[in-house]
Amino acid sequence: MTNQVVNFDKREDRKSSLLKSLSEFSKEHRAAHWAGTFGSFLEHVFPADARGIARTSHQYIWDMMRSDGFDDSQGRFRCQLFEDELYGINDTIERVVDYFKAASAGSEVGRRLLLLLGPPSGGKSTMVILLKRGLEEYSRTDAGALYGIHGCSVHESPLHLVPHTLRGQFRSTYGVEITGELCPYCVSRLQHEFAGDFMQMPVQRIFISEAGRVGVGTYAPHDPTTADIADLVGSVDLSKVSEFGDEGDPRAWSWSGAVFAASRGMLEMIEILKVKREFLYLLLTLTQEKNVKVSRFPLIHLDETIIAHTNLAEFRKFLQEAENEALLDRMVIIQVPYTLSYKEEARIYKKLTSSTQAFREVHLDPHALHVAAVFAVLTRLHEGDEREAEQAKKVRLYGGEDVEGVPQSEVEKIRARSPEEGLAGVSPRFVINALSGAIIQSSTKSLTTMDVLIALKDAIESDVRMDGKKKRKWIDYLVTVRKDFYNRWVKEDVHKALFVSFEQEAQQLLDKYLDEVEATLDNRTVKDPITNEERKPDERFLRSVEEKIRISESGKLSFRQEVVRKAMGAFKRGEKFTLDSHAPLHDAVEQYLFEQRRDVLRLVSSSTRPDEETRQKISVVEKRLVDEYGYDPHSAREALNYVTTLLAQE
Ligand SMILES: Nc1ncnc2c1ncn2[C@@H]1O[C@H](COP(=O)(O)OP(=O)(O)OP(=O)(O)O)[C@@H](O)[C@H]1O
Ligand SMILES: [Mg+2]
Ligand SMILES: [Zn+2]
């Protein structure tokens, strides 16, 4: 077969597999439709899942969350819905999940409006979008089947048709409580079309759909001065008044408001504190009493969950007005801060960049996103008098790294000391914009960490919203990022690339160190593996490893005892004692090995015109950087040059 034929076949394979997935997708999504009279609904549909059909919107959302939930390694409930899209804000997500769990169980919180409060582009909208998409999906599953009165603008539950006098019987027969009244439109229709015979009212399965305005409503205030409450609750439809002859006829009402669309599901209120107080009262009553008042009609029963969001500036303004205090009592406020883990922050950039064509064509060196993320986290930390080194330490701790002297178990306490951390500082959007700028300017299709640092500096300097003092401070953070993070990372890459098999050599060295230490502590001799001669432990070797991490002559004994203790511990647990078991020893072993290979790096800088042999050695290192450490040829060369310069300064 020629190459062309092979390629053609592959293409066809791909096409047919795409078609297959598309048709499977649509099959899954062609969930069972159902339509019939209320009488037939009661006979054929309701008894099979009485509880499911009588669910409130809070219970429905909680069931949706549970349907794709799982318990993580610590036994905490996690929701798959958020996992792939929201990073580093697990505490916030947990609080949202808890809200729904409690509301679903009938707690008072279900009568309060859920308000997400956080800094700009911190994921509030994303969280709400995920919930909406989750509801749409769930309503297409068997477990998420929802039914509504056909033709009703609020797709209300058919159970509202059951007269109050019979509801007690329903409770005793099916164990479900029916709450809620028929809407004015259905009341009128029942009289006019069915002469009051509710068993004949049409019912159908409904599917939540934001585009179709079923079960999802969204309201964003445009101009608060012209905003009309009609956007929320509709208004008289003048074209229909003549047909029905009366403005008070519910059939002449335009049921287009967001609260109606959201019925049975969720209403998203964007920038809620920007709306008029009149709106706010309406929404709070809706959450608390489950009804709205529309002129000329009796109260309209609506069951929906309101999720609102706002930023901190707006919230502080709102707090300043005393009369708002009572309103706050009727909200559950959950903060959505920026993440403080630089690793999670970098994942956000990865997600945002991988969905953009311009980024996909450009190679980023393996630390480019991490340095940007460290910078972002630094700007989010408490602005006390803490010194740079302390802040760098904090970033590493929050990122889940081991820091000497501070166990990870302390992290929660440290976090609790500065609750405002994560509520201000650089947003993911700021960083992404800076990166985009750098990409547009670069012609190489390869962005190095240094390019990214420069792009961030430019972005800070050209930001008109920032004063000079803040700019200087943030630029200082960039220096910290480079000194305390990037230099360490890039040196480690280059150093490792100097070895054919770094891990193996490092482990051998560690084993040797441990053997010699045990022998000294026990006052034993060591048997040379080659000559089989017994010799005294190699104190010179031990010291040369220990000096790499500045273990003093007087401190060596306790250091060695501690190492042996850890090694014994690992041995007892049936684990291997590796470099990862002991952070200081890790550094020491690495440095010891690097010292041995320094000559190669010296060659990079010393010879302006390297000979064939030198060039060969250098290109082997570059190749390893590319093959094993995520660089491309351009960034590998840059990294080598950079590390060489660093070494020259040491
Ligand atoms: N913790 C996070 N995890 C994953 N992505 C995030 C996170 N925070 C923000 N993002 C991403 O940043 C972008 C902006 O977030 P989003 O629009 O949800 O923020 P917001 O809080 O609604 O902001 P605003 O107050 O400006 O409306 C989105 O693309 C979102 O995916
Ligand atoms: Mg938003
Ligand atoms: Zn109705």
Side-chain angles (χ1 to χ4, degrees), residues 52 108 130 135 213 259 290 300 316 319 365 371 396 443-444 488 495 514 518 530 542 562 584 587 600 605 613-614 621:
E108 192 55 27
L130 291 171
L135 284 176
R213 300 176 56 80
V259 296
K290 287 190 188 283
I300 301 170
R316 292 199 181 107
L319 278 184
D365 89 26
V371 292
R396 292 175 56 194
S443 50
T444 50
R488 202 156 41 87
H495 282 150
L514 209 58
E518 280 173 354
I530 297 162
L542 290 176
E562 191 234 7
D587 286 350
V600 179
S605 58
E613 198 197 333
T614 312
V621 177

Coordinates of all heavy atoms in Angstrom, one line a residue, residues 52 108 130 135 213 259 290 300 316 319 365 371 396 443-444 488 495 514 518 530 542 562 584 587 600 605 613-614 621:
G52 N -39.9 11.8 42.7 CA -39.1 12.5 41.7 C -40.0 13.6 41.1 O -39.5 14.7 40.8
E108 N -33.9 26.0 56.2 CA -34.3 27.4 56.0 C -33.5 28.1 54.9 O -33.9 29.0 54.3 CB -34.1 28.2 57.3 CG -34.7 29.6 57.4 CD -36.2 29.6 57.1 OE1 -36.9 28.6 57.3 OE2 -36.6 30.7 56.6
L130 N -22.1 26.2 34.5 CA -21.9 24.8 34.6 C -23.2 24.2 35.3 O -23.6 23.1 34.9 CB -20.7 24.4 35.5 CG -19.4 24.8 34.9 CD1 -18.2 24.6 35.9 CD2 -19.1 23.8 33.7
L135 N -28.1 21.1 34.5 CA -29.5 20.9 34.6 C -30.1 20.5 33.2 O -31.0 19.6 33.1 CB -30.2 22.2 35.0 CG -30.1 22.5 36.5 CD1 -30.7 23.9 36.8 CD2 -30.8 21.4 37.3
R213 N -35.8 28.8 26.8 CA -36.5 29.5 28.0 C -37.3 28.5 28.8 O -38.4 28.9 29.3 CB -37.3 30.7 27.5 CG -36.5 31.7 26.7 CD -37.3 32.8 26.1 NE -38.1 33.5 27.2 CZ -37.6 34.4 28.0 NH1 -36.3 34.8 27.9 NH2 -38.4 35.0 28.9
V259 N -38.3 35.5 35.3 CA -38.7 34.7 36.4 C -39.6 33.5 35.9 O -39.7 32.5 36.5 CB -39.4 35.4 37.6 CG1 -38.5 36.4 38.3 CG2 -40.7 36.1 37.1
K290 N -42.0 31.8 47.5 CA -42.3 31.1 46.3 C -43.4 31.7 45.5 O -44.3 31.0 44.9 CB -42.5 29.6 46.5 CG -41.3 28.9 46.9 CD -41.6 27.4 46.9 CE -40.5 26.5 47.5 NZ -39.4 26.4 46.6
I300 N -48.8 34.7 42.0 CA -48.4 33.6 41.1 C -47.4 32.7 41.8 O -46.3 33.2 42.2 CB -47.9 34.1 39.8 CG1 -48.9 35.0 39.1 CG2 -47.5 32.9 38.9 CD1 -48.4 35.8 37.9
R316 N -19.5 46.2 48.7 CA -19.2 47.2 49.7 C -20.1 48.4 49.7 O -20.5 48.9 50.7 CB -17.7 47.6 49.6 CG -16.8 46.4 49.9 CD -15.4 46.7 50.2 NE -14.7 45.5 50.5 CZ -13.8 45.0 49.7 NH1 -13.4 45.6 48.6 NH2 -13.2 43.8 49.9
L319 N -23.3 47.5 51.2 CA -23.3 47.4 52.7 C -23.4 48.8 53.4 O -23.8 48.9 54.5 CB -21.9 46.8 53.1 CG -21.8 45.3 53.0 CD1 -20.5 44.9 53.5 CD2 -22.9 44.6 53.8
D365 N 7.4 27.3 26.9 CA 8.4 26.5 27.7 C 7.7 26.0 28.9 O 6.7 26.5 29.4 CB 9.7 27.2 27.8 CG 9.9 28.0 29.1 OD1 9.2 27.8 30.1 OD2 10.7 28.9 29.1
V371 N 5.3 30.5 36.0 CA 5.8 31.7 36.6 C 4.7 32.8 36.6 O 4.6 33.5 37.5 CB 7.0 32.3 35.8 CG1 8.2 31.4 36.0 CG2 6.7 32.6 34.3
R396 N 4.7 28.7 47.9 CA 5.0 27.2 47.8 C 4.1 26.4 48.6 O 3.7 25.3 48.2 CB 6.5 27.0 48.1 CG 7.4 27.7 47.1 CD 8.9 27.5 47.5 NE 9.3 26.2 47.7 CZ 10.4 25.8 48.3 NH1 11.2 26.7 48.7 NH2 10.7 24.5 48.4
S443 N 7.7 36.4 16.9 CA 7.7 35.9 15.5 C 8.2 34.5 15.5 O 8.2 33.8 14.5 CB 8.6 36.8 14.6 OG 9.8 36.9 15.3
T444 N 8.6 34.0 16.7 CA 9.3 32.7 16.7 C 8.4 31.5 16.9 O 8.8 30.3 16.8 CB 10.3 32.6 17.8 OG1 9.7 33.1 19.0 CG2 11.5 33.5 17.5
R488 N 15.4 28.3 40.1 CA 15.5 27.0 40.6 C 15.0 26.0 39.6 O 15.6 24.9 39.4 CB 14.6 27.0 41.9 CG 14.9 25.9 42.9 CD 14.4 26.3 44.3 NE 13.1 27.0 44.3 CZ 11.9 26.3 44.4 NH1 11.9 25.0 44.4 NH2 10.8 26.9 44.4
H495 N 20.3 20.8 34.7 CA 21.1 19.9 35.4 C 20.7 18.5 35.2 O 21.6 17.6 34.9 CB 21.1 20.2 36.9 CG 21.9 21.4 37.3 ND1 21.5 22.2 38.4 CD2 23.0 21.9 36.8 CE1 22.4 23.1 38.5 NE2 23.3 23.0 37.5
L514 N 23.4 6.6 52.3 CA 22.7 5.9 53.4 C 23.6 4.8 54.0 O 23.7 4.7 55.2 CB 21.4 5.3 53.0 CG 20.3 5.2 54.0 CD1 20.0 6.6 54.6 CD2 19.0 4.7 53.3
E518 N 25.0 4.8 57.9 CA 24.7 3.7 58.8 C 25.9 3.1 59.4 O 26.0 2.9 60.6 CB 23.8 2.6 58.1 CG 22.4 3.1 58.0 CD 21.5 2.1 57.2 OE1 22.1 1.2 56.6 OE2 20.3 2.3 57.2
I530 N 33.6 -4.0 44.9 CA 34.4 -4.5 43.9 C 35.6 -5.3 44.4 O 35.8 -6.5 44.1 CB 34.9 -3.4 42.9 CG1 33.7 -2.7 42.3 CG2 35.9 -3.9 41.9 CD1 34.0 -1.4 41.7
L542 N 30.7 11.8 52.7 CA 29.6 12.2 53.5 C 29.5 13.7 53.7 O 28.5 14.4 53.4 CB 29.5 11.6 54.9 CG 29.2 10.1 54.9 CD1 29.3 9.5 56.3 CD2 27.8 9.8 54.3
E562 N 18.6 11.7 61.9 CA 17.3 11.9 61.4 C 17.1 11.2 60.1 O 16.0 10.6 59.9 CB 17.1 13.4 61.3 CG 15.6 13.8 61.0 CD 15.4 14.7 59.8 OE1 16.4 14.9 59.1 OE2 14.3 15.1 59.6
P584 N 15.6 17.9 52.2 CA 16.9 18.5 52.2 C 17.9 17.5 51.5 O 18.8 18.0 50.8 CB 17.3 18.6 53.7 CG 15.9 18.5 54.4 CD 15.0 17.7 53.5
D587 N 17.9 17.9 47.8 CA 18.7 19.1 47.3 C 20.2 18.7 47.3 O 20.9 19.0 46.4 CB 18.5 20.3 48.2 CG 17.1 20.9 48.0 OD1 16.4 20.5 47.0 OD2 16.7 21.8 48.7
V600 N 30.5 20.8 31.6 CA 29.8 20.9 30.3 C 29.2 22.3 30.1 O 29.3 22.9 29.1 CB 28.7 19.8 30.1 CG1 28.0 19.9 28.8 CG2 29.3 18.4 30.3
S605 N 29.5 28.6 27.8 CA 29.8 30.0 27.9 C 31.2 30.3 27.5 O 31.5 31.3 26.9 CB 29.5 30.5 29.3 OG 30.3 29.8 30.2
E613 N 33.6 18.8 19.3 CA 33.3 18.0 20.5 C 32.4 18.7 21.5 O 31.4 18.1 22.0 CB 34.6 17.6 21.1 CG 34.4 16.4 22.1 CD 35.6 16.2 23.0 OE1 36.7 16.7 22.7 OE2 35.3 15.7 24.1
T614 N 32.7 20.0 21.7 CA 31.9 20.7 22.6 C 30.4 20.9 22.1 O 29.5 20.7 22.8 CB 32.5 22.2 22.8 OG1 33.8 22.0 23.0 CG2 31.8 22.9 23.9
V621 N 22.6 17.7 25.4 CA 21.8 18.3 26.5 C 20.6 18.9 26.0 O 19.5 18.7 26.5 CB 22.7 19.3 27.3 CG1 21.8 19.9 28.4 CG2 23.9 18.6 27.9

